[in-house]
Amino acid sequence: MLSKKRLPNHKDGEKVIMHFWKHPFVFFKIFLLYFLLFLIPIAVWFLIQLTWTDLLANQSLMTILTVLGLIYYLLLLVFVFTIWTFNYLDVWTLSTERIVSRNQLGFFNRIVSELELYQVQDVTVEQKGVFATIFNYGHLYIQTAGEVNRFTFEDVPNPLESARLIQQLDEEAKRCHNNPSV
Amino acid sequence: MGFALPAFAPTLIVFYWAYLLAVLFFIIVGIINIYHLLKFGFFSWVNILVIAAFVAIASCLIYFSLAVLVALDWNRPLFDSGIMNGLFIF
């Protein structure tokens, strides 16, 4: 496991300010969907009990339905865990000198990119939708002059405050970069 | 000259094999997920708790399902003419 205080290629004097994950409501939405999927076999079971009582007497069919139900729950659990892994491993880290973006695109498919704070040209916040407005989360776009033209922090909490913090650190980084003696 | 093919009557055991395949897939994907969380995740309570919760729930689910499946009769023929009895009422 990685330390929260260390970054890849850690520089002397560099301090981690904060890590950004997706807002908990984004996780809640995903789990709500899977919870509904969890209820479907239970609902079907009650439906069978109410409408096709003769069906319950058929041992062969009950065996098949039991196996299919168990396979369904096994796959559901592993898919929830996979979705959690992919979302939890999407992390954006802000330090006193740079921003590090870590995106988990799939199994064995990961992108880690970074940009120096003095390269930041523009920070844009996008809060789109009812829930994003109510729960205060949104996308943060960072326009840069580096190799990666645009960094996107997806569905991060408090995007406005985060943008302000990035701009403050960016100004300090530009000052230090232009006058290394400071 | 000729030979007779042995009579092959599939039983419900094919569903048991299908279940075991699903368990194998579940274990492999679960281990890959845990590997990613351990290698790339932060050392935090959230990460550790989620891994522990998954392992606990997965163990309970597999244990419970095997206990249920062991009690079933797998020697019934797969192509049972009465399998759809009661499903459709005309």
Side-chain angles (χ1 to χ4, degrees), chain A residues 1-6 19 21 51-52 54-55 58-64 66-68 70-71 73-75 77-79 81-86 88-89 91 93 102 104 106-110, chain B residues 12 15 18-19 22-23 25-26 29-30 32-44 46-48 50-51 54 57-58 61-62 64-65 68-69 72 74 76 80 82-87:
Chain A
M1 285 189 201
L2 306 173
S3 166
K4 276 187 174 178
K5 294 176 183 170
R6 299 284 300 175
H19 300 283
W21 278 275
T51 54
W52 293 311
D54 294 347
L55 208 65
N58 189 325
Q59 286 297 316
S60 299
L61 196 60
M62 284 310 296
T63 302
I64 293 169
T66 306
V67 173
L68 292 180
L70 291 171
I71 289 174
Y73 280 120
L74 278 176
L75 295 182
L77 180 62
V78 87
F79 284 141
F81 193 42
T82 303
I83 294 287
W84 161 266
T85 304
F86 290 169
Y88 179 72
L89 294 180
V91 190
T93 305
R102 293 174 251 217
Q104 191 71 37
F107 288 133
F108 309 105
N109 185 1
R110 187 170 166 79
Chain B
L12 288 178
F15 283 91
Y19 166 77
V23 170
F25 173 79
F26 176 83
V29 177
I32 292 172
N33 270 302
I34 291 171
Y35 165 79
H36 278 80
L37 287 172
L38 289 176
K39 188 167 172 66
F40 303 118
F42 285 122
F43 184 74
S44 67
V46 174
N47 200 10
I48 293 166
V50 167
I51 293 171
F54 172 76
I57 295 169
L61 186 59
I62 292 174
F64 166 77
S65 56
V68 168
L69 295 184
L72 297 175
W74 297 101
R76 288 171 178 275
D80 181 359
I83 201 165
M84 302 305 267
N85 281 357
L87 189 59

Side-chain angles (χ1 to χ4, degrees), chain A residues 10 19 29 42 50 80 91 98 103 109 115 117 128-129 131 148 160 163-164 176:
Chain A
H10 203 94
H19 300 283
K29 276 197 296 188
I42 298 170
L50 286 175
V80 172
V91 190
R98 56 196 171 134
N103 287 314
N109 185 1
L115 71 99
L117 274 171
K128 205 171 168 180
F131 293 121
V148 182
L160 279 170
R164 240 172 259 138
C176 291

Side-chain angles (χ1 to χ4, degrees), chain A residues 34-46:
Chain A
Y34 279 96
F35 182 68
L36 292 175
L37 291 174
F38 171 83
L39 292 179
I40 287 174
I42 298 170
V44 169
W45 174 256
F46 278 110

